[in-house]
PDB file of all heavy atoms in Angstrom:
ATOM      1  N   GLU A   5     115.822  82.163 116.587  1.00 96.00           N
ATOM      2  CA  GLU A   5     116.076  80.869 115.894  1.00 96.00           C
ATOM      3  C   GLU A   5     117.069  80.982 114.673  1.00 96.00           C
ATOM      4  O   GLU A   5     118.101  80.314 114.643  1.00 96.00           O
ATOM      5  CB  GLU A   5     114.853  80.130 115.449  1.00 96.00           C
ATOM      6  CG  GLU A   5     113.664  80.218 116.559  1.00 96.00           C
ATOM      7  CD  GLU A   5     113.983  79.264 117.735  1.00 96.00           C
ATOM      8  OE1 GLU A   5     115.100  78.728 117.875  1.00 96.00           O
ATOM      9  OE2 GLU A   5     113.128  79.355 118.739  1.00 96.00           O
ATOM     10  N   PRO A   6     116.700  81.826 113.664  1.00 96.00           N
ATOM     11  CA  PRO A   6     117.728  82.071 112.562  1.00 96.00           C
ATOM     12  C   PRO A   6     118.931  82.640 112.973  1.00 96.00           C
ATOM     13  O   PRO A   6     120.051  82.451 112.504  1.00 96.00           O
ATOM     14  CB  PRO A   6     116.940  82.873 111.541  1.00 96.00           C
ATOM     15  CG  PRO A   6     115.862  83.431 112.338  1.00 96.00           C
ATOM     16  CD  PRO A   6     115.490  82.522 113.364  1.00 96.00           C
ATOM     17  N   GLU A   7     118.927  83.580 113.950  1.00 97.00           N
ATOM     18  CA  GLU A   7     120.110  84.261 114.399  1.00 97.00           C
ATOM     19  C   GLU A   7     121.095  83.264 114.997  1.00 97.00           C
ATOM     20  O   GLU A   7     122.320  83.293 114.681  1.00 97.00           O
ATOM     21  CB  GLU A   7     119.803  85.322 115.506  1.00 97.00           C
ATOM     22  CG  GLU A   7     121.024  86.033 115.969  1.00 97.00           C
ATOM     23  CD  GLU A   7     120.795  87.012 117.122  1.00 97.00           C
ATOM     24  OE1 GLU A   7     119.656  87.059 117.604  1.00 97.00           O
ATOM     25  OE2 GLU A   7     121.702  87.794 117.457  1.00 97.00           O
ATOM     26  N   ILE A   8     120.683  82.417 115.927  1.00 98.00           N
ATOM     27  CA  ILE A   8     121.573  81.592 116.655  1.00 98.00           C
ATOM     28  C   ILE A   8     122.096  80.524 115.617  1.00 98.00           C
ATOM     29  O   ILE A   8     123.226  80.157 115.643  1.00 98.00           O
ATOM     30  CB  ILE A   8     120.910  80.760 117.852  1.00 98.00           C
ATOM     31  CG1 ILE A   8     122.007  80.090 118.652  1.00 98.00           C
ATOM     32  CG2 ILE A   8     119.858  79.886 117.404  1.00 98.00           C
ATOM     33  CD1 ILE A   8     122.799  80.984 119.504  1.00 98.00           C
ATOM     34  N   THR A   9     121.271  80.106 114.663  1.00 98.00           N
ATOM     35  CA  THR A   9     121.648  79.144 113.636  1.00 98.00           C
ATOM     36  C   THR A   9     122.766  79.742 112.792  1.00 98.00           C
ATOM     37  O   THR A   9     123.822  79.119 112.509  1.00 98.00           O
ATOM     38  CB  THR A   9     120.429  78.662 112.773  1.00 98.00           C
ATOM     39  OG1 THR A   9     119.452  78.134 113.634  1.00 98.00           O
ATOM     40  CG2 THR A   9     120.824  77.687 111.753  1.00 98.00           C
ATOM     41  N   ALA A  10     122.577  80.938 112.374  1.00 97.00           N
ATOM     42  CA  ALA A  10     123.645  81.663 111.569  1.00 97.00           C
ATOM     43  C   ALA A  10     125.018  81.778 112.341  1.00 97.00           C
ATOM     44  O   ALA A  10     126.035  81.487 111.728  1.00 97.00           O
ATOM     45  CB  ALA A  10     123.211  83.004 111.132  1.00 97.00           C
ATOM     46  N   LYS A  11     124.860  81.954 113.633  1.00 97.00           N
ATOM     47  CA  LYS A  11     126.088  82.207 114.387  1.00 97.00           C
ATOM     48  C   LYS A  11     126.815  80.941 114.750  1.00 97.00           C
ATOM     49  O   LYS A  11     128.062  80.924 114.720  1.00 97.00           O
ATOM     50  CB  LYS A  11     125.760  83.079 115.649  1.00 97.00           C
ATOM     51  CG  LYS A  11     125.328  84.613 115.154  1.00 97.00           C
ATOM     52  CD  LYS A  11     125.000  85.378 116.348  1.00 97.00           C
ATOM     53  CE  LYS A  11     124.648  86.739 115.749  1.00 97.00           C
ATOM     54  NZ  LYS A  11     124.366  87.856 116.784  1.00 97.00           N
ATOM     55  N   VAL A  12     126.162  79.766 115.002  1.00 98.00           N
ATOM     56  CA  VAL A  12     126.762  78.561 115.186  1.00 98.00           C
ATOM     57  C   VAL A  12     127.368  78.024 113.964  1.00 98.00           C
ATOM     58  O   VAL A  12     128.489  77.386 114.045  1.00 98.00           O
ATOM     59  CB  VAL A  12     125.895  77.532 116.016  1.00 98.00           C
ATOM     60  CG1 VAL A  12     125.481  77.935 117.294  1.00 98.00           C
ATOM     61  CG2 VAL A  12     124.671  77.176 115.084  1.00 98.00           C
ATOM     62  N   ALA A  13     126.724  78.300 112.826  1.00 97.00           N
ATOM     63  CA  ALA A  13     127.235  77.914 111.506  1.00 97.00           C
ATOM     64  C   ALA A  13     128.624  78.663 111.167  1.00 97.00           C
ATOM     65  O   ALA A  13     129.609  78.058 110.774  1.00 97.00           O
ATOM     66  CB  ALA A  13     126.297  78.190 110.360  1.00 97.00           C
ATOM     67  N   LYS A  14     128.720  80.008 111.551  1.00 96.00           N
ATOM     68  CA  LYS A  14     129.910  80.810 111.404  1.00 96.00           C
ATOM     69  C   LYS A  14     131.042  80.272 112.241  1.00 96.00           C
ATOM     70  O   LYS A  14     132.178  80.449 111.882  1.00 96.00           O
ATOM     71  CB  LYS A  14     129.656  82.237 111.607  1.00 96.00           C
ATOM     72  CG  LYS A  14     128.784  82.862 110.477  1.00 96.00           C
ATOM     73  CD  LYS A  14     128.579  84.369 110.794  1.00 96.00           C
ATOM     74  CE  LYS A  14     127.717  84.970 109.672  1.00 96.00           C
ATOM     75  NZ  LYS A  14     127.437  86.435 109.948  1.00 96.00           N
ATOM     76  N   LEU A  15     130.671  79.727 113.434  1.00 97.00           N
ATOM     77  CA  LEU A  15     131.634  79.237 114.330  1.00 97.00           C
ATOM     78  C   LEU A  15     132.163  77.825 113.829  1.00 97.00           C
ATOM     79  O   LEU A  15     133.069  77.226 114.547  1.00 97.00           O
ATOM     80  CB  LEU A  15     131.109  79.015 115.695  1.00 97.00           C
ATOM     81  CG  LEU A  15     130.880  80.435 116.489  1.00 97.00           C
ATOM     82  CD1 LEU A  15     130.262  80.237 117.860  1.00 97.00           C
ATOM     83  CD2 LEU A  15     132.268  81.185 116.636  1.00 97.00           C
ATOM     84  N   LYS A  16     131.560  77.236 112.795  1.00 96.00           N
ATOM     85  CA  LYS A  16     131.974  75.860 112.300  1.00 96.00           C
ATOM     86  C   LYS A  16     131.790  74.873 113.445  1.00 96.00           C
ATOM     87  O   LYS A  16     132.573  73.902 113.666  1.00 96.00           O
ATOM     88  CB  LYS A  16     133.470  75.929 111.905  1.00 96.00           C
ATOM     89  CG  LYS A  16     133.755  76.943 110.793  1.00 96.00           C
ATOM     90  CD  LYS A  16     132.984  76.777 109.666  1.00 96.00           C
ATOM     91  CE  LYS A  16     133.507  77.798 108.605  1.00 96.00           C
ATOM     92  NZ  LYS A  16     132.621  77.689 107.257  1.00 96.00           N
ATOM     93  N   CYS A  17     130.680  75.003 114.189  1.00 97.00           N
ATOM     94  CA  CYS A  17     130.354  74.080 115.233  1.00 97.00           C
ATOM     95  C   CYS A  17     129.988  72.679 114.667  1.00 97.00           C
ATOM     96  O   CYS A  17     129.422  72.594 113.524  1.00 97.00           O
ATOM     97  CB  CYS A  17     129.114  74.606 116.068  1.00 97.00           C
ATOM     98  SG  CYS A  17     129.416  76.091 116.959  1.00 97.00           S
ATOM     99  N   ARG A  18     130.166  71.629 115.455  1.00 98.00           N
ATOM    100  CA  ARG A  18     129.700  70.368 115.003  1.00 98.00           C
ATOM    101  C   ARG A  18     128.273  70.299 115.442  1.00 98.00           C
ATOM    102  O   ARG A  18     127.978  70.189 116.669  1.00 98.00           O
ATOM    103  CB  ARG A  18     130.489  69.269 115.768  1.00 98.00           C
ATOM    104  CG  ARG A  18     132.074  69.300 115.402  1.00 98.00           C
ATOM    105  CD  ARG A  18     132.841  68.409 116.180  1.00 98.00           C
ATOM    106  NE  ARG A  18     132.798  68.771 117.678  1.00 98.00           N
ATOM    107  CZ  ARG A  18     133.270  68.024 118.757  1.00 98.00           C
ATOM    108  NH1 ARG A  18     133.590  66.802 118.495  1.00 98.00           N
ATOM    109  NH2 ARG A  18     133.072  68.524 119.900  1.00 98.00           N
ATOM    110  N   ILE A  19     127.403  70.148 114.565  1.00 98.00           N
ATOM    111  CA  ILE A  19     125.889  70.258 114.778  1.00 98.00           C
ATOM    112  C   ILE A  19     125.359  68.951 114.431  1.00 98.00           C
ATOM    113  O   ILE A  19     125.576  68.352 113.352  1.00 98.00           O
ATOM    114  CB  ILE A  19     125.311  71.382 114.054  1.00 98.00           C
ATOM    115  CG1 ILE A  19     125.952  72.719 114.213  1.00 98.00           C
ATOM    116  CG2 ILE A  19     123.777  71.442 114.290  1.00 98.00           C
ATOM    117  CD1 ILE A  19     125.465  73.861 113.333  1.00 98.00           C
ATOM    118  N   TYR A  20     124.492  68.309 115.412  1.00 98.00           N
ATOM    119  CA  TYR A  20     123.827  67.128 115.132  1.00 98.00           C
ATOM    120  C   TYR A  20     122.316  67.372 115.326  1.00 98.00           C
ATOM    121  O   TYR A  20     121.890  68.382 116.012  1.00 98.00           O
ATOM    122  CB  TYR A  20     124.174  66.150 116.185  1.00 98.00           C
ATOM    123  CG  TYR A  20     125.415  65.206 115.742  1.00 98.00           C
ATOM    124  CD1 TYR A  20     126.620  65.904 115.594  1.00 98.00           C
ATOM    125  CD2 TYR A  20     125.166  63.918 115.478  1.00 98.00           C
ATOM    126  CE1 TYR A  20     127.772  65.064 115.186  1.00 98.00           C
ATOM    127  CE2 TYR A  20     126.289  63.117 114.978  1.00 98.00           C
ATOM    128  CZ  TYR A  20     127.609  63.677 114.987  1.00 98.00           C
ATOM    129  OH  TYR A  20     128.623  62.981 114.544  1.00 98.00           O
ATOM    130  N   GLU A  21     121.534  66.685 114.602  1.00 97.00           N
ATOM    131  CA  GLU A  21     120.044  66.581 114.824  1.00 97.00           C
ATOM    132  C   GLU A  21     119.584  65.323 115.413  1.00 97.00           C
ATOM    133  O   GLU A  21     120.199  64.242 115.114  1.00 97.00           O
ATOM    134  CB  GLU A  21     119.245  66.832 113.511  1.00 97.00           C
ATOM    135  CG  GLU A  21     119.250  68.306 113.037  1.00 97.00           C
ATOM    136  CD  GLU A  21     118.348  68.407 111.758  1.00 97.00           C
ATOM    137  OE1 GLU A  21     118.531  67.723 110.903  1.00 97.00           O
ATOM    138  OE2 GLU A  21     117.524  69.265 111.822  1.00 97.00           O
ATOM    139  N   VAL A  22     118.549  65.362 116.279  1.00 96.00           N
ATOM    140  CA  VAL A  22     117.926  64.240 116.856  1.00 96.00           C
ATOM    141  C   VAL A  22     116.526  64.245 116.731  1.00 96.00           C
ATOM    142  O   VAL A  22     115.860  65.348 116.866  1.00 96.00           O
ATOM    143  CB  VAL A  22     118.292  64.051 118.333  1.00 96.00           C
ATOM    144  CG1 VAL A  22     117.530  62.898 119.012  1.00 96.00           C
ATOM    145  CG2 VAL A  22     119.780  63.883 118.537  1.00 96.00           C
ATOM    146  N   GLY A  23     115.880  63.288 116.148  1.00 94.00           N
ATOM    147  CA  GLY A  23     114.390  63.241 115.987  1.00 94.00           C
ATOM    148  C   GLY A  23     113.700  63.290 117.286  1.00 94.00           C
ATOM    149  O   GLY A  23     114.029  62.565 118.171  1.00 94.00           O
ATOM    150  N   ILE A  24     112.645  64.182 117.374  1.00 94.00           N
ATOM    151  CA  ILE A  24     111.936  64.207 118.490  1.00 94.00           C
ATOM    152  C   ILE A  24     110.404  64.094 118.277  1.00 94.00           C
ATOM    153  O   ILE A  24     109.927  64.399 117.085  1.00 94.00           O
ATOM    154  CB  ILE A  24     112.116  65.643 119.341  1.00 94.00           C
ATOM    155  CG1 ILE A  24     111.876  66.823 118.354  1.00 94.00           C
ATOM    156  CG2 ILE A  24     113.571  65.647 119.820  1.00 94.00           C
ATOM    157  CD1 ILE A  24     111.711  68.193 119.035  1.00 94.00           C
ATOM    158  N   SER A  25     109.526  63.830 119.293  1.00 91.00           N
ATOM    159  CA  SER A  25     108.121  63.791 119.144  1.00 91.00           C
ATOM    160  C   SER A  25     107.713  65.376 119.194  1.00 91.00           C
ATOM    161  O   SER A  25     108.427  66.207 119.677  1.00 91.00           O
ATOM    162  CB  SER A  25     107.440  63.086 120.251  1.00 91.00           C
ATOM    163  OG  SER A  25     107.758  63.508 121.484  1.00 91.00           O
ATOM    164  N   TYR A  26     106.468  65.656 118.821  1.00 90.00           N
ATOM    165  CA  TYR A  26     105.929  66.941 118.872  1.00 90.00           C
ATOM    166  C   TYR A  26     104.469  67.035 119.104  1.00 90.00           C
ATOM    167  O   TYR A  26     103.693  66.300 118.346  1.00 90.00           O
ATOM    168  CB  TYR A  26     106.331  67.763 117.591  1.00 90.00           C
ATOM    169  CG  TYR A  26     105.881  69.151 117.524  1.00 90.00           C
ATOM    170  CD1 TYR A  26     106.299  70.080 118.441  1.00 90.00           C
ATOM    171  CD2 TYR A  26     104.969  69.583 116.545  1.00 90.00           C
ATOM    172  CE1 TYR A  26     105.976  71.442 118.403  1.00 90.00           C
ATOM    173  CE2 TYR A  26     104.595  70.942 116.520  1.00 90.00           C
ATOM    174  CZ  TYR A  26     105.117  71.830 117.367  1.00 90.00           C
ATOM    175  OH  TYR A  26     104.720  73.167 117.431  1.00 90.00           O
ATOM    176  N   SER A  27     104.035  67.771 120.138  1.00 83.00           N
ATOM    177  CA  SER A  27     102.623  67.939 120.372  1.00 83.00           C
ATOM    178  C   SER A  27     102.215  69.353 120.362  1.00 83.00           C
ATOM    179  O   SER A  27     102.082  70.139 121.287  1.00 83.00           O
ATOM    180  CB  SER A  27     102.306  67.301 121.731  1.00 83.00           C
ATOM    181  OG  SER A  27     100.916  67.533 122.157  1.00 83.00           O
ATOM    182  N   GLY A  28     102.072  69.881 119.155  1.00 69.00           N
ATOM    183  CA  GLY A  28     101.771  71.260 118.867  1.00 69.00           C
ATOM    184  C   GLY A  28     100.467  71.757 119.439  1.00 69.00           C
ATOM    185  O   GLY A  28      99.506  70.990 119.521  1.00 69.00           O
ATOM    186  N   ARG A  29     100.373  72.946 119.716  1.00 50.00           N
ATOM    187  CA  ARG A  29      99.194  73.668 120.045  1.00 50.00           C
ATOM    188  C   ARG A  29      98.536  74.536 119.114  1.00 50.00           C
ATOM    189  O   ARG A  29      99.197  74.983 118.160  1.00 50.00           O
ATOM    190  CB  ARG A  29      99.505  74.662 121.324  1.00 50.00           C
ATOM    191  CG  ARG A  29     100.052  73.898 122.547  1.00 50.00           C
ATOM    192  CD  ARG A  29     100.046  74.943 123.672  1.00 50.00           C
ATOM    193  NE  ARG A  29     100.851  76.183 123.527  1.00 50.00           N
ATOM    194  CZ  ARG A  29     101.097  77.024 124.307  1.00 50.00           C
ATOM    195  NH1 ARG A  29     100.380  77.022 125.555  1.00 50.00           N
ATOM    196  NH2 ARG A  29     101.960  78.087 124.142  1.00 50.00           N
ATOM    197  N   THR A  30      97.187  74.586 119.210  1.00 58.00           N
ATOM    198  CA  THR A  30      96.473  75.549 118.291  1.00 58.00           C
ATOM    199  C   THR A  30      96.560  76.911 118.843  1.00 58.00           C
ATOM    200  O   THR A  30      96.965  77.126 119.961  1.00 58.00           O
ATOM    201  CB  THR A  30      94.931  75.184 118.243  1.00 58.00           C
ATOM    202  OG1 THR A  30      94.347  75.362 119.495  1.00 58.00           O
ATOM    203  CG2 THR A  30      94.787  73.743 117.807  1.00 58.00           C
ATOM    204  N   TYR A  31      96.228  77.888 118.098  1.00 47.00           N
ATOM    205  CA  TYR A  31      96.154  79.308 118.613  1.00 47.00           C
ATOM    206  C   TYR A  31      95.216  79.404 119.719  1.00 47.00           C
ATOM    207  O   TYR A  31      95.531  80.271 120.758  1.00 47.00           O
ATOM    208  CB  TYR A  31      95.916  80.308 117.481  1.00 47.00           C
ATOM    209  CG  TYR A  31      97.113  80.405 116.601  1.00 47.00           C
ATOM    210  CD1 TYR A  31      97.127  79.799 115.323  1.00 47.00           C
ATOM    211  CD2 TYR A  31      98.262  81.169 116.899  1.00 47.00           C
ATOM    212  CE1 TYR A  31      98.275  79.938 114.515  1.00 47.00           C
ATOM    213  CE2 TYR A  31      99.375  81.278 116.072  1.00 47.00           C
ATOM    214  CZ  TYR A  31      99.346  80.618 114.840  1.00 47.00           C
ATOM    215  OH  TYR A  31     100.439  80.761 114.056  1.00 47.00           O
ATOM    216  N   GLN A  32      94.043  78.749 119.694  1.00 51.00           N
ATOM    217  CA  GLN A  32      93.138  78.792 120.788  1.00 51.00           C
ATOM    218  C   GLN A  32      93.702  78.254 122.126  1.00 51.00           C
ATOM    219  O   GLN A  32      93.306  78.571 123.144  1.00 51.00           O
ATOM    220  CB  GLN A  32      91.953  77.904 120.443  1.00 51.00           C
ATOM    221  CG  GLN A  32      91.031  78.628 119.276  1.00 51.00           C
ATOM    222  CD  GLN A  32      91.648  78.436 117.936  1.00 51.00           C
ATOM    223  OE1 GLN A  32      92.478  77.505 117.614  1.00 51.00           O
ATOM    224  NE2 GLN A  32      91.270  79.346 116.918  1.00 51.00           N
ATOM    225  N   GLU A  33      94.699  77.308 121.930  1.00 51.00           N
ATOM    226  CA  GLU A  33      95.273  76.638 123.025  1.00 51.00           C
ATOM    227  C   GLU A  33      96.447  77.434 123.547  1.00 51.00           C
ATOM    228  O   GLU A  33      97.159  77.126 124.668  1.00 51.00           O
ATOM    229  CB  GLU A  33      95.822  75.225 122.781  1.00 51.00           C
ATOM    230  CG  GLU A  33      94.603  74.318 122.526  1.00 51.00           C
ATOM    231  CD  GLU A  33      95.054  72.959 121.968  1.00 51.00           C
ATOM    232  OE1 GLU A  33      96.005  72.961 121.239  1.00 51.00           O
ATOM    233  OE2 GLU A  33      94.413  71.945 122.159  1.00 51.00           O
ATOM    234  N   GLY A  34      96.834  78.579 122.880  1.00 47.00           N
ATOM    235  CA  GLY A  34      97.893  79.396 123.422  1.00 47.00           C
ATOM    236  C   GLY A  34      99.171  79.566 122.504  1.00 47.00           C
ATOM    237  O   GLY A  34     100.098  80.193 122.948  1.00 47.00           O
ATOM    238  N   LYS A  35      99.186  79.028 121.373  1.00 52.00           N
ATOM    239  CA  LYS A  35     100.280  79.198 120.440  1.00 52.00           C
ATOM    240  C   LYS A  35     100.465  80.704 120.123  1.00 52.00           C
ATOM    241  O   LYS A  35      99.519  81.471 119.884  1.00 52.00           O
ATOM    242  CB  LYS A  35     100.105  78.420 119.096  1.00 52.00           C
ATOM    243  CG  LYS A  35     101.370  78.359 118.346  1.00 52.00           C
ATOM    244  CD  LYS A  35     101.142  77.278 117.138  1.00 52.00           C
ATOM    245  CE  LYS A  35     102.478  76.960 116.475  1.00 52.00           C
ATOM    246  NZ  LYS A  35     103.293  76.123 117.408  1.00 52.00           N
ATOM    247  N   LYS A  36     101.770  81.142 120.190  1.00 54.00           N
ATOM    248  CA  LYS A  36     101.987  82.591 120.034  1.00 54.00           C
ATOM    249  C   LYS A  36     102.654  83.091 118.742  1.00 54.00           C
ATOM    250  O   LYS A  36     102.510  84.298 118.401  1.00 54.00           O
ATOM    251  CB  LYS A  36     102.898  83.026 121.327  1.00 54.00           C
ATOM    252  CG  LYS A  36     102.169  82.785 122.631  1.00 54.00           C
ATOM    253  CD  LYS A  36     103.135  83.205 123.789  1.00 54.00           C
ATOM    254  CE  LYS A  36     102.537  83.073 125.083  1.00 54.00           C
ATOM    255  NZ  LYS A  36     102.278  81.606 125.433  1.00 54.00           N
ATOM    256  N   ILE A  37     103.395  82.183 118.121  1.00 62.00           N
ATOM    257  CA  ILE A  37     104.171  82.675 116.906  1.00 62.00           C
ATOM    258  C   ILE A  37     103.119  82.967 115.822  1.00 62.00           C
ATOM    259  O   ILE A  37     102.241  82.230 115.529  1.00 62.00           O
ATOM    260  CB  ILE A  37     105.226  81.624 116.489  1.00 62.00           C
ATOM    261  CG1 ILE A  37     106.172  82.158 115.560  1.00 62.00           C
ATOM    262  CG2 ILE A  37     104.529  80.408 115.912  1.00 62.00           C
ATOM    263  CD1 ILE A  37     107.376  81.403 115.226  1.00 62.00           C
ATOM    264  N   GLY A  38     103.416  84.061 114.924  1.00 63.00           N
ATOM    265  CA  GLY A  38     102.499  84.441 113.925  1.00 63.00           C
ATOM    266  C   GLY A  38     103.141  84.784 112.565  1.00 63.00           C
ATOM    267  O   GLY A  38     104.417  84.605 112.548  1.00 63.00           O
ATOM    268  N   LEU A  39     102.421  85.338 111.776  1.00 65.00           N
ATOM    269  CA  LEU A  39     102.907  85.557 110.356  1.00 65.00           C
ATOM    270  C   LEU A  39     104.018  86.649 110.448  1.00 65.00           C
ATOM    271  O   LEU A  39     105.052  86.551 109.717  1.00 65.00           O
ATOM    272  CB  LEU A  39     101.751  86.118 109.609  1.00 65.00           C
ATOM    273  CG  LEU A  39     102.084  86.395 108.021  1.00 65.00           C
ATOM    274  CD1 LEU A  39     102.544  85.045 107.333  1.00 65.00           C
ATOM    275  CD2 LEU A  39     100.774  86.940 107.389  1.00 65.00           C
ATOM    276  N   LYS A  40     103.864  87.636 111.282  1.00 76.00           N
ATOM    277  CA  LYS A  40     104.840  88.703 111.335  1.00 76.00           C
ATOM    278  C   LYS A  40     106.273  88.116 111.773  1.00 76.00           C
ATOM    279  O   LYS A  40     107.281  88.658 111.410  1.00 76.00           O
ATOM    280  CB  LYS A  40     104.449  89.957 112.149  1.00 76.00           C
ATOM    281  CG  LYS A  40     104.305  89.618 113.717  1.00 76.00           C
ATOM    282  CD  LYS A  40     104.008  90.877 114.549  1.00 76.00           C
ATOM    283  CE  LYS A  40     103.841  90.512 115.930  1.00 76.00           C
ATOM    284  NZ  LYS A  40     103.464  91.863 116.592  1.00 76.00           N
ATOM    285  N   ASP A  41     106.188  87.069 112.655  1.00 73.00           N
ATOM    286  CA  ASP A  41     107.389  86.465 113.046  1.00 73.00           C
ATOM    287  C   ASP A  41     108.046  85.700 111.947  1.00 73.00           C
ATOM    288  O   ASP A  41     109.336  85.610 111.899  1.00 73.00           O
ATOM    289  CB  ASP A  41     107.074  85.466 114.197  1.00 73.00           C
ATOM    290  CG  ASP A  41     106.591  86.207 115.492  1.00 73.00           C
ATOM    291  OD1 ASP A  41     107.382  87.128 116.009  1.00 73.00           O
ATOM    292  OD2 ASP A  41     105.509  85.864 115.957  1.00 73.00           O
ATOM    293  N   GLY A  42     107.197  85.148 111.040  1.00 76.00           N
ATOM    294  CA  GLY A  42     107.799  84.511 109.798  1.00 76.00           C
ATOM    295  C   GLY A  42     108.605  85.516 108.987  1.00 76.00           C
ATOM    296  O   GLY A  42     109.688  85.219 108.477  1.00 76.00           O
TER     297      GLY A  42
END
């Protein structure tokens, strides 16, 4: 995520954001990202 963001920024890409809905999972439900990834 930060790698691709840094690289599209260096390319001076035209970047847009669009608001989306989100239905996050708990770790019990299978969420995988953790503190070490932060």
Side-chain angles (χ1 to χ4, degrees):
E5 316 294 356
E7 179 186 8
I8 195 74
T9 301
K11 291 179 177 180
V12 297
K14 288 180 179 179
L15 288 175
K16 307 298 182 184
C17 294
R18 299 171 299 168
I19 305 171
Y20 272 66
E21 283 189 307
V22 174
I24 58 169
S25 60
Y26 181 62
S27 180
R29 296 191 297 181
T30 65
Y31 287 100
Q32 292 75 23
E33 292 169 330
K35 194 170 191 68
K36 298 179 178 70
I37 194 168
L39 184 61
K40 68 178 182 180
D41 296 302

